[in-house]
Amino acid sequence: MRKLFVIPFLFFSLTTMAACSEQDEPKPETEQPTTPDSPDNGKTLVVYFSAQGHTQAVAERIVELTGADVCRIEAAEPYAVNPYDDSDRIQNEAYNDLRPGVANLPDAETIAQYDTIFIGSPCWWSTVAPPVATFLAAHDFTGKTLIPFMTHEGSRMGRSEADIRRLCPGATVRSGVPVRGSDAAQADREIRQLVEAAGR
């Protein structure tokens, strides 16, 4: 598998450049990934938050398979390297539906470019990580297709799909795919299943 290189991907503003990234080297034509969502049916974006690298591994594989742009969400107040050390904070944010700051929140003009958005997160307290909830609540996704994927160590999707639908009432939210975090680097079958389902 070729290594994926990620650099800032949008050129519309300094804020956007800090927020999002894409591959810095175009793939040879024979290796260009294809997806039913691009290029004729609208642009595709992969947005994710990753605490320990598991969700990032899944997101990067989706990018390889689809050629999508990618944006990694960064918490304004970083979490502990081991999220279990921040369990009280995470539980409080999740259970009280709080919206912690995001250091690189994309602007509305950036999000407006995309018709299909993969949403990736670790499953924390049975839902998306709080910075992902902040991102979702900050934008109007009316008419867009959202495709969630969650990394977990037993909770699978939790209630994340229902919460995404609640936060994004105008969007079409597809059924997501859970990937066990410890197996993320070897989850090609599940990831391909997610990408294929996105085209139906």
PDB file of all heavy atoms in Angstrom, residues 7-24:
ATOM      1  N   ILE A   7      -1.283  17.160   3.217  1.00  0.00           N
ATOM      2  CA  ILE A   7      -0.898  18.555   3.374  1.00  0.00           C
ATOM      3  C   ILE A   7      -2.161  19.396   3.356  1.00  0.00           C
ATOM      4  O   ILE A   7      -3.237  18.908   3.019  1.00  0.00           O
ATOM      5  CB  ILE A   7       0.056  19.019   2.253  1.00  0.00           C
ATOM      6  CG1 ILE A   7      -0.673  18.950   0.885  1.00  0.00           C
ATOM      7  CG2 ILE A   7       1.319  18.210   2.244  1.00  0.00           C
ATOM      8  CD1 ILE A   7       0.093  19.587  -0.217  1.00  0.00           C
ATOM      9  N   PRO A   8      -2.113  20.715   3.698  1.00  0.00           N
ATOM     10  CA  PRO A   8      -3.326  21.551   3.633  1.00  0.00           C
ATOM     11  C   PRO A   8      -3.957  21.496   2.258  1.00  0.00           C
ATOM     12  O   PRO A   8      -3.273  21.549   1.254  1.00  0.00           O
ATOM     13  CB  PRO A   8      -2.798  22.962   3.959  1.00  0.00           C
ATOM     14  CG  PRO A   8      -1.647  22.690   4.855  1.00  0.00           C
ATOM     15  CD  PRO A   8      -1.001  21.428   4.293  1.00  0.00           C
ATOM     16  N   PHE A   9      -5.326  21.382   2.198  1.00  0.00           N
ATOM     17  CA  PHE A   9      -5.960  21.055   0.934  1.00  0.00           C
ATOM     18  C   PHE A   9      -6.797  22.141   0.302  1.00  0.00           C
ATOM     19  O   PHE A   9      -7.131  22.049  -0.864  1.00  0.00           O
ATOM     20  CB  PHE A   9      -6.829  19.789   1.077  1.00  0.00           C
ATOM     21  CG  PHE A   9      -8.162  19.996   1.712  1.00  0.00           C
ATOM     22  CD1 PHE A   9      -9.294  20.157   0.916  1.00  0.00           C
ATOM     23  CD2 PHE A   9      -8.304  20.020   3.070  1.00  0.00           C
ATOM     24  CE1 PHE A   9     -10.521  20.338   1.487  1.00  0.00           C
ATOM     25  CE2 PHE A   9      -9.531  20.190   3.638  1.00  0.00           C
ATOM     26  CZ  PHE A   9     -10.634  20.353   2.856  1.00  0.00           C
ATOM     27  N   LEU A  10      -7.189  23.150   1.014  1.00  0.00           N
ATOM     28  CA  LEU A  10      -8.037  24.148   0.385  1.00  0.00           C
ATOM     29  C   LEU A  10      -7.289  25.470   0.302  1.00  0.00           C
ATOM     30  O   LEU A  10      -6.433  25.760   1.122  1.00  0.00           O
ATOM     31  CB  LEU A  10      -9.341  24.306   1.167  1.00  0.00           C
ATOM     32  CG  LEU A  10     -10.249  23.080   1.099  1.00  0.00           C
ATOM     33  CD1 LEU A  10     -11.396  23.234   2.075  1.00  0.00           C
ATOM     34  CD2 LEU A  10     -10.789  22.885  -0.306  1.00  0.00           C
ATOM     35  N   PHE A  11      -7.670  26.284  -0.662  1.00  0.00           N
ATOM     36  CA  PHE A  11      -6.911  27.488  -0.930  1.00  0.00           C
ATOM     37  C   PHE A  11      -7.751  28.742  -0.739  1.00  0.00           C
ATOM     38  O   PHE A  11      -7.357  29.830  -1.133  1.00  0.00           O
ATOM     39  CB  PHE A  11      -6.399  27.445  -2.380  1.00  0.00           C
ATOM     40  CG  PHE A  11      -5.576  26.235  -2.659  1.00  0.00           C
ATOM     41  CD1 PHE A  11      -6.157  25.102  -3.212  1.00  0.00           C
ATOM     42  CD2 PHE A  11      -4.231  26.206  -2.331  1.00  0.00           C
ATOM     43  CE1 PHE A  11      -5.407  23.979  -3.467  1.00  0.00           C
ATOM     44  CE2 PHE A  11      -3.486  25.085  -2.585  1.00  0.00           C
ATOM     45  CZ  PHE A  11      -4.075  23.961  -3.161  1.00  0.00           C
ATOM     46  N   PHE A  12      -8.914  28.607  -0.134  1.00  0.00           N
ATOM     47  CA  PHE A  12      -9.824  29.723  -0.077  1.00  0.00           C
ATOM     48  C   PHE A  12      -9.478  30.726   1.011  1.00  0.00           C
ATOM     49  O   PHE A  12      -9.778  31.894   0.894  1.00  0.00           O
ATOM     50  CB  PHE A  12     -11.261  29.220   0.089  1.00  0.00           C
ATOM     51  CG  PHE A  12     -11.663  28.290  -1.004  1.00  0.00           C
ATOM     52  CD1 PHE A  12     -11.682  26.921  -0.795  1.00  0.00           C
ATOM     53  CD2 PHE A  12     -11.974  28.777  -2.266  1.00  0.00           C
ATOM     54  CE1 PHE A  12     -12.027  26.077  -1.815  1.00  0.00           C
ATOM     55  CE2 PHE A  12     -12.326  27.914  -3.279  1.00  0.00           C
ATOM     56  CZ  PHE A  12     -12.346  26.562  -3.061  1.00  0.00           C
ATOM     57  N   SER A  13      -8.882  30.274   2.127  1.00  0.00           N
ATOM     58  CA  SER A  13      -8.525  31.187   3.205  1.00  0.00           C
ATOM     59  C   SER A  13      -7.481  30.532   4.070  1.00  0.00           C
ATOM     60  O   SER A  13      -7.317  29.326   4.052  1.00  0.00           O
ATOM     61  CB  SER A  13      -9.752  31.529   4.062  1.00  0.00           C
ATOM     62  OG  SER A  13     -10.161  30.404   4.776  1.00  0.00           O
ATOM     63  N   LEU A  14      -6.748  31.359   4.838  1.00  0.00           N
ATOM     64  CA  LEU A  14      -5.751  30.792   5.736  1.00  0.00           C
ATOM     65  C   LEU A  14      -6.397  29.909   6.768  1.00  0.00           C
ATOM     66  O   LEU A  14      -5.838  28.892   7.168  1.00  0.00           O
ATOM     67  CB  LEU A  14      -4.968  31.932   6.415  1.00  0.00           C
ATOM     68  CG  LEU A  14      -4.085  32.751   5.486  1.00  0.00           C
ATOM     69  CD1 LEU A  14      -3.463  33.922   6.238  1.00  0.00           C
ATOM     70  CD2 LEU A  14      -3.007  31.886   4.867  1.00  0.00           C
ATOM     71  N   THR A  15      -7.573  30.284   7.219  1.00  0.00           N
ATOM     72  CA  THR A  15      -8.281  29.460   8.202  1.00  0.00           C
ATOM     73  C   THR A  15      -8.592  28.102   7.629  1.00  0.00           C
ATOM     74  O   THR A  15      -8.390  27.071   8.269  1.00  0.00           O
ATOM     75  CB  THR A  15      -9.590  30.153   8.647  1.00  0.00           C
ATOM     76  OG1 THR A  15      -9.269  31.414   9.208  1.00  0.00           O
ATOM     77  CG2 THR A  15     -10.324  29.298   9.671  1.00  0.00           C
ATOM     78  N   THR A  16      -9.097  28.070   6.407  1.00  0.00           N
ATOM     79  CA  THR A  16      -9.434  26.813   5.776  1.00  0.00           C
ATOM     80  C   THR A  16      -8.200  25.968   5.548  1.00  0.00           C
ATOM     81  O   THR A  16      -8.205  24.761   5.741  1.00  0.00           O
ATOM     82  CB  THR A  16     -10.137  27.078   4.429  1.00  0.00           C
ATOM     83  OG1 THR A  16     -11.303  27.847   4.684  1.00  0.00           O
ATOM     84  CG2 THR A  16     -10.530  25.781   3.758  1.00  0.00           C
ATOM     85  N   MET A  17      -7.097  26.625   5.149  1.00  0.00           N
ATOM     86  CA  MET A  17      -5.873  25.865   4.915  1.00  0.00           C
ATOM     87  C   MET A  17      -5.389  25.217   6.190  1.00  0.00           C
ATOM     88  O   MET A  17      -4.848  24.116   6.180  1.00  0.00           O
ATOM     89  CB  MET A  17      -4.786  26.773   4.339  1.00  0.00           C
ATOM     90  CG  MET A  17      -5.080  27.221   2.902  1.00  0.00           C
ATOM     91  SD  MET A  17      -3.860  28.392   2.295  1.00  0.00           S
ATOM     92  CE  MET A  17      -2.418  27.333   2.215  1.00  0.00           C
ATOM     93  N   ALA A  18      -5.568  25.888   7.311  1.00  0.00           N
ATOM     94  CA  ALA A  18      -5.160  25.298   8.577  1.00  0.00           C
ATOM     95  C   ALA A  18      -6.089  24.178   8.988  1.00  0.00           C
ATOM     96  O   ALA A  18      -5.695  23.281   9.711  1.00  0.00           O
ATOM     97  CB  ALA A  18      -5.144  26.367   9.677  1.00  0.00           C
ATOM     98  N   ALA A  19      -7.331  24.229   8.511  1.00  0.00           N
ATOM     99  CA  ALA A  19      -8.328  23.276   8.968  1.00  0.00           C
ATOM    100  C   ALA A  19      -8.259  21.955   8.243  1.00  0.00           C
ATOM    101  O   ALA A  19      -8.525  20.915   8.825  1.00  0.00           O
ATOM    102  CB  ALA A  19      -9.731  23.870   8.792  1.00  0.00           C
ATOM    103  N   CYS A  20      -7.964  21.955   6.978  1.00  0.00           N
ATOM    104  CA  CYS A  20      -8.185  20.774   6.170  1.00  0.00           C
ATOM    105  C   CYS A  20      -6.951  20.449   5.336  1.00  0.00           C
ATOM    106  O   CYS A  20      -6.116  21.299   5.097  1.00  0.00           O
ATOM    107  CB  CYS A  20      -9.380  20.990   5.256  1.00  0.00           C
ATOM    108  SG  CYS A  20     -10.886  21.401   6.156  1.00  0.00           S
ATOM    109  N   SER A  21      -6.887  19.195   4.880  1.00  0.00           N
ATOM    110  CA  SER A  21      -5.717  18.757   4.142  1.00  0.00           C
ATOM    111  C   SER A  21      -6.082  17.722   3.101  1.00  0.00           C
ATOM    112  O   SER A  21      -7.114  17.108   3.154  1.00  0.00           O
ATOM    113  CB  SER A  21      -4.679  18.169   5.098  1.00  0.00           C
ATOM    114  OG  SER A  21      -5.244  17.118   5.823  1.00  0.00           O
ATOM    115  N   GLU A  22      -5.171  17.567   2.111  1.00  0.00           N
ATOM    116  CA  GLU A  22      -5.377  16.531   1.112  1.00  0.00           C
ATOM    117  C   GLU A  22      -4.032  15.972   0.683  1.00  0.00           C
ATOM    118  O   GLU A  22      -2.984  16.396   1.123  1.00  0.00           O
ATOM    119  CB  GLU A  22      -6.143  17.063  -0.093  1.00  0.00           C
ATOM    120  CG  GLU A  22      -5.328  17.941  -1.010  1.00  0.00           C
ATOM    121  CD  GLU A  22      -6.069  18.252  -2.302  1.00  0.00           C
ATOM    122  OE1 GLU A  22      -7.152  17.705  -2.524  1.00  0.00           O
ATOM    123  OE2 GLU A  22      -5.550  19.030  -3.088  1.00  0.00           O
ATOM    124  N   GLN A  23      -4.076  14.981  -0.207  1.00  0.00           N
ATOM    125  CA  GLN A  23      -2.861  14.347  -0.671  1.00  0.00           C
ATOM    126  C   GLN A  23      -2.035  15.348  -1.457  1.00  0.00           C
ATOM    127  O   GLN A  23      -2.566  16.102  -2.258  1.00  0.00           O
ATOM    128  CB  GLN A  23      -3.230  13.160  -1.563  1.00  0.00           C
ATOM    129  CG  GLN A  23      -4.157  12.192  -0.836  1.00  0.00           C
ATOM    130  CD  GLN A  23      -4.850  11.266  -1.789  1.00  0.00           C
ATOM    131  OE1 GLN A  23      -4.226  10.325  -2.235  1.00  0.00           O
ATOM    132  NE2 GLN A  23      -6.087  11.526  -2.112  1.00  0.00           N
ATOM    133  N   ASP A  24      -0.712  15.337  -1.248  1.00  0.00           N
ATOM    134  CA  ASP A  24       0.110  16.333  -1.920  1.00  0.00           C
ATOM    135  C   ASP A  24       0.631  15.858  -3.255  1.00  0.00           C
ATOM    136  O   ASP A  24       1.174  16.650  -4.007  1.00  0.00           O
ATOM    137  CB  ASP A  24       1.286  16.744  -1.020  1.00  0.00           C
ATOM    138  CG  ASP A  24       2.236  15.604  -0.741  1.00  0.00           C
ATOM    139  OD1 ASP A  24       1.861  14.431  -0.933  1.00  0.00           O
ATOM    140  OD2 ASP A  24       3.370  15.872  -0.327  1.00  0.00           O
TER     141      ASP A  24
END
